[in-house]
């Protein structure tokens, strides 16, 4: 059975995962409006991954006898000054999410909540991967600089991303 304080913290994180999904869909829409369809497709896959994260929290809360409580999801940023600014924003967002996952782990340790600690380990590893991926794309965009052809090539490369099977 979940402690009330942990149930509240897990619901807060579930809401943050919705915020992530919403932010990436907004980024996708902006990239689409700039004809960067590959980057837009990459961001749409990111949106789906974030919804998978929502459902992981949803299932864990239910499995532990807690109640899921939905909160309002704030409107995400809608415009950026460049594709680089979009991916820098994604990297900054993932770093913020990593911090909140680590705080949840700390709470699990403090409460002696072993099932939640075990559940969160998947997210700890996932955040390392998400930060590394965003960081790599930021570096590539910096390398491309003002080259239109370089940007289009990177757009094509990112557009080749495939939806990963569940659990990956
Ligand atoms: Fe981007 O990993 Fe969830 O929020």
């Amino acid at each position: 059975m979940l402690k009330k304080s942990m149930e509240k913290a897990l619901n807060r994180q579930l809401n943050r995962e919705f915020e992530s999904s919403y932010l990436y869909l907004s980024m996708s829409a902006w990239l689409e409006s700039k004809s960067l369809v590959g980057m837009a497709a990459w961001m749409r896959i990111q949106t789906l991954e974030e919804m998978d994260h929502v459902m992981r929290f949803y299932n864990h809360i239910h499995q532990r006898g807690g109640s899921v409580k939905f909160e309002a999801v704030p409107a995400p940023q809608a415009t950026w000054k460049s594709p680089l600014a979009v991916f820098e924003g994604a990297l900054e967002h993932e770093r913020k999410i990593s911090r909140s996952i680590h705080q949840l782990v700390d709470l699990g340790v403090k409460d002696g909540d072993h099932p939640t600690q075990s559940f969160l380990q998947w997210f700890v590893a996932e955040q390392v991967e998400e930060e590394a991926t965003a960081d790599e794309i930021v570096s590539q965009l910096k390398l491309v600089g003002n080259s239109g052809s370089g940007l289009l090539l990177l757009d094509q490369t990112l557009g080749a991303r495939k939806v990963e099977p569940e659990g990956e």
Side-chain angles (χ1 to χ4, degrees), residues 145-165:
N146 290 327
S147 156
S149 52
L151 192 61
L152 286 177
L153 193 62
L154 186 55
D155 187 60
Q156 265 180 20
T157 309
L158 292 176
R161 179 182 186 185
K162 299 268 179 288
V163 180
E164 284 176 11

Side-chain angles (χ1 to χ4, degrees), residues 126-145:
E126 173 74 1
Q127 284 310 120
V128 171
E129 203 181 298
E130 296 224 320
E131 281 189 39
T133 305
D135 196 30
E136 187 177 282
I137 299 172
V138 165
S139 300
Q140 289 170 344
L141 281 164
K142 284 181 179 167
L143 281 174
V144 161

Side-chain angles (χ1 to χ4, degrees), residues 69-167:
K69 288 194 185 63
F70 297 109
E71 296 168 19
V73 181
Q77 184 175 341
T79 58
W80 288 265
K81 69 176 186 346
S82 63
L84 175 60
V86 170
F87 282 91
E88 282 177 335
L91 176 58
E92 190 190 322
H93 182 78
E94 288 305 329
R95 286 180 175 152
K96 195 174 83 185
I97 293 295
S98 296
R99 286 195 293 276
S100 68
I101 294 286
H102 297 166
Q103 282 166 4
L104 271 178
V105 175
D106 291 344
L107 184 62
V109 170
K110 185 169 114 350
D111 287 354
D113 184 342
H114 296 274
T116 297
Q117 287 177 54
S118 165
F119 162 72
L120 289 170
Q121 284 316 303
W122 183 89
F123 282 92
V124 172
E126 173 74 1
Q127 284 310 120
V128 171
E129 203 181 298
E130 296 224 320
E131 281 189 39
T133 305
D135 196 30
E136 187 177 282
I137 299 172
V138 165
S139 300
Q140 289 170 344
L141 281 164
K142 284 181 179 167
L143 281 174
V144 161
N146 290 327
S147 156
S149 52
L151 192 61
L152 286 177
L153 193 62
L154 186 55
D155 187 60
Q156 265 180 20
T157 309
L158 292 176
R161 179 182 186 185
K162 299 268 179 288
V163 180
E164 284 176 11
E166 238 173 87

Side-chain angles (χ1 to χ4, degrees), residues 10 30 45 53 143:
L10 290 169
W30 185 85
I45 292 178
H53 298 176
L143 281 174

